[in-house]
Amino acid sequence: MDLPELVLRAHAAAADVAMPLTRDGTGPSCSLPGVGRFLAVLAAGCVGGTIGELGTGVGVGAAWMASAMPADCTLVTVELDQTRATAAHRVFADDPRVEVVRGDALTVLSTRAPYDLLFADGGTAEAPTLVDLLRIGGRIVSDDVTPLDLLPADSPFRTNDAKREFYFGEPRLISTEVVLPDRQNSLLVGTRVR
Ligand SMILES: C[S@@+](CC[C@H](N)C(=O)[O-])C[C@H]1O[C@@H](n2cnc3c(N)ncnc32)[C@H](O)[C@@H]1O
């Protein structure tokens, strides 16, 4: 499947700042295509809505969402790192619906709530306060999860995983884990119901 033009532009920006496209354990990496497509599916339904992203990177996930979201939807994405924020700024220079802000994601996004969709991908990804920022019916997504079947038998993540505990323990969310088509990675998604 072809990648949207904006995603290709974000991939080029990743190369410029040496941000890996896949998880290699050396530091922050860009969202995988399977995550991007999932985000695009949710973003496409945000008619007249607002999308927030914690941790822009260079804008790969944001590019997937911006490529799919309706014309009347806006997206604000926040990145702490100056170099990555500047690179992402360039990616979205032609799209007035997308705002890239350099700063602390939770601080900035708290001033723009409520959101129809939040991609929690940097900083305080598991904070219950994120649920406060969602509309009822709004969705929250986190990636960089390894499917349980692939975890070593002695992995501490089998019994102690902050991301899974947040999604499945937060009473205001109905959540599930989605294994990506690569079968190596999964994401968590929850809908705020109260
Ligand atoms: C996994 S990367 C983001 C990837 C990006 N969302 C994508 O779709 O390609 C995580 C990013 O979060 C940023 N970050 C970490 N803490 C943050 C915070 N408190 N506020 C904003 N960004 C933060 C890091 O600098 C890093 O660029």
Side-chain angles (χ1 to χ4, degrees):
M1 268 183 278
D2 290 342
L3 299 179
E5 178 61 35
L6 209 47
V7 174
L8 292 173
R9 212 186 294 177
H11 282 185
D16 288 345
V17 303
M19 186 168 180
L21 294 183
T22 56
R23 292 162 78 189
D24 65 2
T26 63
S29 58
C30 300
S31 288
L32 298 167
V35 174
R37 284 194 194 282
F38 188 86
L39 291 171
V41 168
L42 298 187
C46 293
V47 179
T50 307
I51 299 173
E53 180 182 37
L54 296 96
T56 314
V58 295
V60 172
W64 278 102
M65 293 188 279
S67 298
M69 70 191 197
D72 59 0
C73 183
T74 57
L75 190 164
V76 55
T77 176
V78 189
E79 172 56 52
L80 208 52
D81 178 82
Q82 181 69 68
T83 303
R84 289 193 278 269
T86 300
H89 230 278
R90 283 196 289 268
V91 171
F92 300 105
D94 301 331
D95 193 337
R97 302 170 307 158
V98 180
E99 185 182 0
V100 179
V101 180
R102 199 241 141 192
D104 173 66
L106 193 54
T107 306
V108 174
L109 291 181
S110 296
T111 65
R112 316 283 188 93
Y115 298 94
D116 300 86
L117 173 61
L118 271 180
F119 182 30
D121 202 21
T124 321
E126 292 94 39
T129 39
L130 291 179
V131 182
D132 298 339
L133 306 185
L134 287 175
R135 286 185 203 288
I136 303 293
R139 269 77 184 251
I140 179 167
V141 176
S142 297
D143 67 350
D144 294 334
V145 178
T146 300
L148 284 175
D149 283 354
L150 298 183
L151 288 173
D154 59 352
S155 168
F157 284 105
R158 284 188 174 275
T159 52
N160 183 13
D161 182 335
K163 273 188 193 172
R164 287 188 173 97
E165 279 164 21
F166 166 61
Y167 276 83
F168 296 113
E170 164 59 55
R172 292 172 294 170
L173 292 180
I174 301 286
S175 299
T176 192
E177 179 169 340
V178 178
V179 178
L180 301 184
D182 67 11
R183 299 186 186 187
Q184 302 299 306
N185 297 279
S186 56
L187 58 77
L188 298 163
V189 55
T191 300
R192 181 175 180 181
V193 292
R194 55 179 163 270

